[in-house]
Amino acid sequence: MDFITRICTAVLPWILLAQVIAIKECETAMLSTGENTTITIRSSFPKANCSVCVLKDKQSSCSSELRLQPRENRTYSFSCPDPHKFFSIEITKSTVCISNFYSTEVKELLTLTFPKFNNTLIWDIGFSEHKALVLDFLGLGLRQIKPSESCPDHLTYSIHTYLTADIQSIGTFCRRGPVSKIRVDKGVRVSLQVSGKEKVDEPGFSMAVGPPIKKCCIIEVNLLLGSSVNLLSPNYPLSFSDDDIMSWVFTVPDNNKADVLFLNYTQPTCSKKRVSVEYALPGSQFTKRKSLTNPQPSSISGNFTMQLENCEMVRSNPGRLSLEFRVEVFNESHQNHFWIDLQKEKGINVTIKQKKVNPNCQFCDGAACQPEITLQSGKKTRIMFKDCNLEELGMVVTKDIGCYNWEKCPVKEMPVKVPSSLAKLPVPLESLTWQLRAPAESTIVLNPGEAKLKHLLPGETCMEGFYYRLVEEDESELGRFCPQGSIEKVQIHSNIFVALMATDRGNYSKILEPFFTVSIEKEITESYIFTVSPELGVMSYLVTPNWPDGMAPLSSVSWKVSVPSGHMVQVSFLNTTQPQCRQSHTSISIKEQSSVEEKFSRREDELLPDHQTMMEDFWLNMSNCKPEATKMTFKVMCRVTLIKKQDDLPMKIAIGTVSALLVIVAFIVIISCVMKKKKKNKPETSIYNPNVNTFFPGHPLFSKGRRDNDSHIYTTIDETVMYGPLLSRPGLRTLPEVDVYRPFEGPVGDRPPTPPPFFNLGKSKGVGPEVDVYRPFLGPVGDEPPIPIFNREASMEAVADSCLVDNELYSFQHEQEAETPGNEDELPLPPADEEMEQNKEESKL
């Protein structure tokens, strides 16, 4: 009974509405809705002079919109003869799907469409939380488009989901495409926009209930042979929902492979997790996780799954997650295909052509095929070569680099390199030209980096398989250069074309690395400046621009050559041609960089030396005159050779040793002078004190015994000052000897010697003073030494024998002429001088 009730409830509205066969302009019609069905007649131009009017109680009310709720009847009419031009119809059917039964009702909604009007049919379906709804597009499939695009047959599907609090778009689709099924959790809204010019008999899809998927949606895509499909993330171009997941399942035909290419994407601001793309590839037990910026998988053989996962976005500034990508299918057994990525390149132009005409060879860019193809910057394209011999193809690339405003010029150390996608392309590269343009009053600077450059002379070849050709705007050639040389920088005072020319045996893998960086700097006075750093054991050849044809008139060139420490550079002039000048003169000069004056300079009428040796960094300058109309031109070839200086280490050691000796001698002389000056100003004298140990003024007390020190030796005593006045007194017949050294030969005790005592020797002249006998000095001490007043003659002899003067060393010496034992005037020895008495007894024996 319930089954019959449902059928009646569903069919009854259609029976009532079937009575309205057509709506005629300006005629009244009856419109009724069934259960869970809503019809809205809405004006697309509210300000237009056309309204929909409702008749109620014989009164008519007109407006720009009429909305009928479920199970509601209305009698209406339009106020204009052609309402289909101003109004559109929206019919919505809401239901709760419990089983697959409701899939049979999808087609019945088409019977409510209004002829001539643009109709939008909406299926609003809810179902159990533990189930998922499967939309099957009946074999014809769908093709996803951007919301701003339209379908060629004017039938457009829009699919939304209620997984989050807000309804979210899964995508907009056209009929006939690779999308076969869409699985959605919780709830879904499917809308079909039908143009009034089209008649639709089939909705193009059916519904079924499946197991839950626990994510936003799953889109199943059946890839076709040789096809490509563009897909978008949910809610594109707006953001995919916060902390959400969706998947694509791709079916790849047998014997085919697939590439994944990201065309455009934006990333949100994340507070937790991060945005990622996860692949489940055939033959792999694990998934591969990548970021949006990573290279995506290519040449996938077999079915695979791609999952997009959003992060937890920042509430205050969430940003957005959007992704547009393409999946390409190809068969390697029939054609060659390659990706050329020029998305990040600017001002580049790539032309691929046939060097030998082959009518069967075709270049295919997507669906279009042609015998020659040109690619522009900003795109990534998959190129397929059908029935082509890649060795018979050629590729020509040009790229513009530069600016026209000095203040806003962004060119600063910009890498000049071959795009990696072109370097990996197995098509021979004929030429790649960088067109370097600079504003007025500026200079183009080329820096080849560690590779450096060298002049390519006629008849030579580059080992790398390619060379650089520098050409000016007037097509005059600045020169040809190979990598691995001594030129580390080139400055050019004009716009220049840098052409990378491949040789017949070129190794294309090496041109992938950037050899140049280009900068635009302030202008130079010369036409060209080459910075050269010669290497030991390598001869560097330098030639004038446009060799061997000769320099342009009134142009100049300079080489800035560096000379390492401990080396010298020899410049040899090998080949020189001088013109007959009509204006100015030619000039060849060499000048040290630290000097203002030139080392040498020669004009066209002067002979050049064979070579010139430079010991430090220098400039090699050449300038051309305006020659006569003759065949003679100005051109110069020279060779720069780095030579190591002779080893001067022994000389350095000798000079260092002599310098050190001179410093030591000077130091000794200075110390000696200072010491003598101090001695002269403050002469030191000896002072005897019987009560304490003898000491020198300014020196500490002696701590050693007399035998262990030199206390009995006096350094200096100026006796002319001490004893001079005494010797000059009247009555003294002789003067003491001076400047005579007498060694002391007597015994030495523990105490320092003291002067002999003064005693009466009697009237006997044969008795002299006692010697080798120590007597302490007991007399008074005055300003002058005591002089004996008894027996003047004997005293003078004693003084003459004992008082010796020496400027360097003084010592008391007593020579014993005669010894008289038992002298009654002899004084007793003091107890402290037992050693002296013992020495005396030993001497008698």
Side-chain angles (χ1 to χ4, degrees):
M1 187 66 182
D2 293 339
F3 180 79
I4 298 175
T5 303
R6 288 182 180 180
I7 294 179
C8 294
T9 304
V11 174
L12 181 60
W14 317 135
I15 297 175
L16 295 176
L17 292 175
Q19 299 176 2
V20 183
I21 299 175
I23 300 178
K24 298 182 179 180
E25 294 81 352
C26 301
E27 293 184 0
T28 301
M30 177 69 69
L31 184 62
S32 299
T33 59
E35 186 178 3
N36 300 326
T37 303
T38 302
I39 298 178
T40 302
I41 302 175
R42 183 181 295 111
S43 175
S44 303
F45 306 96
K47 296 183 180 180
N49 190 18
C50 186
S51 303
V52 57
C53 302
V54 178
L55 182 61
K56 186 177 182 181
D57 298 332
K58 298 183 180 181
Q59 293 183 354
S60 178
S61 60
C62 299
S63 64
S64 61
E65 181 177 319
L66 173 61
R67 183 180 179 86
L68 276 72
Q69 299 297 333
R71 296 190 178 188
E72 187 177 359
N73 299 328
R74 285 286 188 272
T75 300
Y76 69 99
S77 64
F78 294 99
S79 62
C80 59
D82 49 358
H84 63 277
K85 296 180 180 180
F86 303 96
F87 286 87
S88 61
I89 311 298
E90 182 181 284
I91 306 173
T92 302
K93 174 69 175 179
S94 299
T95 186
V96 176
C97 187
I98 301 176
S99 64
N100 292 341
F101 168 76
Y102 286 95
S103 62
T104 60
E105 301 179 4
V106 174
K107 183 177 179 180
E108 296 174 355
L109 196 59
L110 295 175
T111 59
L112 300 179
T113 57
F114 289 70
K116 296 185 179 181
F117 285 82
N118 291 332
N119 295 269
T120 301
L121 305 179
I122 300 175
W123 292 267
D124 204 346
I125 307 168
F127 43 89
S128 172
E129 295 183 357
H130 303 288
K131 299 290 182 179
L133 184 66
V134 181
L135 301 176
D136 191 344
F137 297 98
L138 303 177
L140 296 178
L142 300 180
R143 176 175 60 88
Q144 189 171 14
I145 61 173
K146 295 180 180 179
S148 59
E149 297 176 349
S150 58
C151 297
D153 58 358
H154 305 287
L155 294 176
T156 304
Y157 292 88
S158 297
I159 303 175
H160 295 75
T161 179
Y162 296 104
L163 183 61
T164 59
D166 299 327
I167 188 171
Q168 179 177 233
S169 172
I170 293 177
T172 303
F173 303 85
C174 298
R175 292 194 299 180
R176 298 181 178 86
V179 178
S180 59
K181 293 180 180 181
I182 297 179
R183 301 174 184 270
V184 186
D185 243 351
K186 288 190 176 180
V188 66
R189 172 186 288 182
V190 181
S191 62
L192 173 61
Q193 297 179 2
V194 182
S195 172
K197 299 178 181 181
E198 299 291 335
K199 184 178 181 180
V200 182
D201 297 329
E202 295 290 339
F205 71 95
S206 63
M207 295 182 292
V209 177
I213 58 176
K214 297 181 181 180
K215 58 183 68 176
C216 170
C217 61
I218 298 177
I219 300 177
E220 298 184 13
V221 183
N222 292 327
L223 299 174
L224 304 178
L225 179 63
S227 66
S228 64
V229 54
N230 284 19
L231 297 169
L232 305 168
S233 61
N235 215 31
Y236 188 91
L238 302 178
S239 180
F240 183 35
S241 57
D242 181 78
D243 194 21
D244 205 350
I245 303 174
M246 67 91 53
S247 298
W248 292 270
V249 178
F250 297 97
T251 302
V252 181
D254 295 338
N255 301 322
N256 282 260
K257 295 184 178 181
D259 289 341
V260 178
L261 170 66
F262 284 5
L263 303 177
N264 190 18
Y265 60 84
T266 60
Q267 299 196 68
T269 305
C270 299
S271 62
K272 293 182 180 180
K273 301 182 181 179
R274 62 178 181 175
V275 177
S276 64
V277 182
E278 190 173 291
Y279 294 90
L281 302 177
S284 176
Q285 299 179 355
F286 305 98
T287 59
K288 291 185 178 181
R289 184 180 294 268
K290 295 180 176 293
S291 66
L292 298 180
T293 58
N294 293 142
Q296 306 304 315
S298 60
S299 299
I300 304 173
S301 179
N303 304 334
F304 66 97
T305 301
M306 172 181 166
Q307 177 175 286
L308 176 64
E309 182 176 355
N310 196 5
C311 64
E312 293 185 20
M313 299 186 294
V314 176
R315 299 294 181 182
S316 58
N317 183 24
R320 60 191 175 97
L321 170 61
S322 62
L323 173 63
E324 177 185 4
F325 67 98
R326 177 186 298 172
V327 180
E328 296 274 358
V329 180
F330 59 94
N331 190 332
E332 289 185 338
S333 61
H334 296 86
Q335 58 195 6
N336 294 314
H337 87 289
F338 304 94
W339 286 105
I340 300 179
D341 187 2
L342 305 177
Q343 295 181 98
K344 298 181 180 180
E345 300 292 335
K346 294 182 180 180
I348 195 170
N349 186 289
V350 181
T351 300
I352 301 176
K353 57 184 179 180
Q354 301 182 48
K355 292 186 292 186
K356 295 182 180 180
V357 179
N358 180 5
N360 297 324
C361 177
Q362 295 288 320
F363 308 145
C364 300
D365 175 14
C369 295
Q370 49 194 347
E372 181 176 312
I373 189 171
T374 300
L375 305 175
Q376 304 292 336
S377 59
K379 296 182 179 180
K380 185 172 183 179
T381 310
R382 186 172 68 89
I383 303 298
M384 293 182 293
F385 302 101
K386 293 183 177 181
D387 301 325
C388 296
N389 184 359
L390 299 181
E391 297 297 328
E392 297 179 353
L393 306 180
M395 180 171 55
V396 178
V397 183
T398 60
K399 182 175 182 179
D400 290 334
I401 298 176
C403 56
Y404 301 95
N405 189 341
W406 171 253
E407 288 76 14
K408 299 180 180 179
C409 191
V411 181
K412 186 68 174 178
E413 297 183 357
M414 178 182 294
V416 178
K417 62 179 181 178
V418 180
S420 58
S421 59
L422 298 181
K424 295 178 181 179
L425 196 65
V427 177
L429 177 66
E430 289 189 355
S431 67
L432 191 154
T433 303
W434 294 279
Q435 300 176 358
L436 308 180
R437 305 183 185 275
E441 300 180 354
S442 61
T443 301
I444 295 176
V445 180
L446 297 176
N447 190 339
E450 297 181 356
K452 300 184 181 180
L453 295 176
K454 64 180 178 181
H455 286 279
L456 176 61
L457 302 178
E460 294 183 347
T461 57
C462 292
M463 298 299 296
E464 290 76 15
F466 60 90
Y467 64 91
Y468 292 99
R469 183 171 176 259
L470 273 61
V471 183
E472 299 187 68
E473 286 184 314
D474 59 357
E475 297 184 358
S476 62
E477 188 176 85
L478 175 59
R480 300 186 179 190
F481 302 89
C482 294
Q484 307 302 326
S486 60
I487 301 175
E488 60 182 16
K489 185 168 67 173
V490 182
Q491 296 169 268
I492 307 165
H493 190 272
S494 63
N495 294 338
I496 196 77
F497 296 160
V498 180
L500 175 62
M501 310 298 295
T503 59
D504 293 338
R505 58 184 185 86
N507 185 358
Y508 301 108
S509 62
K510 290 187 177 181
I511 66 177
L512 179 62
E513 301 177 0
F515 283 103
F516 276 111
T517 60
V518 59
S519 301
I520 296 180
E521 301 177 355
K522 294 184 178 180
E523 66 176 339
I524 57 177
T525 56
E526 295 82 359
S527 301
Y528 321 98
I529 296 179
F530 295 88
T531 302
V532 182
S533 297
E535 297 181 2
L536 195 64
V538 179
M539 292 182 293
S540 302
Y541 292 89
L542 308 179
V543 295
T544 51
N546 201 28
W547 178 271
D549 295 333
M551 286 181 64
L554 301 177
S555 63
S556 63
V557 60
S558 296
W559 288 272
K560 184 179 180 182
V561 184
S562 62
V563 182
S565 177
H567 296 74
M568 57 184 179
V569 168
Q570 186 181 77
V571 182
S572 303
F573 297 95
L574 305 179
N575 190 347
T576 304
T577 301
Q578 297 280 6
Q580 295 180 359
C581 294
R582 183 174 62 180
Q583 178 183 344
S584 185
H585 295 278
T586 65
S587 174
I588 301 176
S589 64
I590 294 180
K591 183 178 74 68
E592 294 176 347
Q593 296 182 21
S594 61
S595 175
V596 179
E597 298 181 357
E598 294 178 342
K599 192 76 172 179
F600 86 95
S601 178
R602 298 292 188 271
R603 304 192 315 180
E604 73 276 1
D605 53 357
E606 297 175 337
L607 294 178
L608 281 171
D610 292 336
H611 62 269
Q612 183 73 32
T613 302
M614 303 300 295
M615 309 299 291
E616 61 178 75
D617 299 351
F618 65 93
W619 287 95
L620 173 61
N621 304 315
M622 300 182 189
S623 60
N624 192 12
C625 64
K626 188 173 183 180
E628 295 285 352
T630 61
K631 294 182 180 180
M632 299 296 291
T633 58
F634 179 65
K635 58 182 181 180
V636 179
M637 175 191 290
C638 58
R639 182 179 62 214
V640 175
T641 307
L642 183 64
I643 303 173
K644 191 174 182 180
K645 294 181 182 178
Q646 294 182 354
D647 191 6
D648 54 355
L649 182 60
M651 181 64 68
K652 291 181 179 179
I653 294 175
I655 294 174
T657 304
V658 172
S659 301
L661 291 176
L662 292 176
V663 171
I664 294 173
V665 171
F667 184 71
I668 294 174
V669 171
I670 292 172
I671 292 177
S672 300
C673 294
V674 172
M675 293 180 64
K676 286 183 178 180
K677 186 175 181 181
K678 288 183 178 181
K679 292 176 181 179
K680 184 176 181 181
N681 294 337
K682 295 181 180 180
E684 295 180 351
T685 59
S686 62
I687 299 175
Y688 172 73
N689 190 339
N691 298 321
V692 296
N693 290 332
T694 302
F695 67 94
F696 292 120
H699 291 272
L701 296 177
F702 287 93
S703 60
K704 301 185 295 181
R706 188 179 179 194
R707 293 181 180 272
D708 301 328
N709 57 43
D710 297 332
S711 60
H712 61 289
I713 299 175
Y714 294 85
T715 304
T716 301
I717 297 178
D718 194 349
E719 295 187 342
T720 59
V721 177
M722 298 179 63
Y723 302 109
L726 297 177
L727 297 176
S728 62
R729 290 181 181 180
L732 293 178
R733 292 176 293 183
T734 58
L735 295 175
E737 290 182 339
V738 296
D739 296 332
V740 177
Y741 171 75
R742 303 291 186 185
F744 178 75
E745 298 179 354
V748 179
D750 294 332
R751 295 186 179 182
T754 57
F758 295 93
F759 52 88
N760 190 0
L761 298 177
K763 296 181 180 180
S764 177
K765 296 182 179 179
V767 179
E770 289 184 348
V771 295
D772 296 334
V773 178
Y774 171 78
R775 290 291 186 268
F777 180 74
L778 303 176
V781 179
D783 295 335
E784 297 180 355
I787 299 296
I789 58 176
F790 55 89
N791 197 346
R792 184 176 299 272
E793 293 181 359
S795 300
M796 289 298 295
E797 293 178 0
V799 171
D801 294 337
S802 60
C803 297
L804 300 179
V805 179
D806 192 339
N807 290 333
E808 301 298 332
L809 178 66
Y810 177 82
S811 175
F812 287 101
Q813 178 178 0
H814 302 274
E815 296 183 358
Q816 183 177 2
E817 296 180 355
E819 185 178 4
T820 304
N823 193 340
E824 61 183 2
D825 295 330
E826 183 177 342
L827 297 177
L829 294 174
D833 295 332
E834 296 177 0
E835 182 180 355
M836 184 64 73
E837 184 179 1
Q838 181 179 357
N839 292 336
K840 182 179 178 182
E841 293 177 358
E842 292 177 358
S843 63
K844 290 181 181 181
L845 296 176

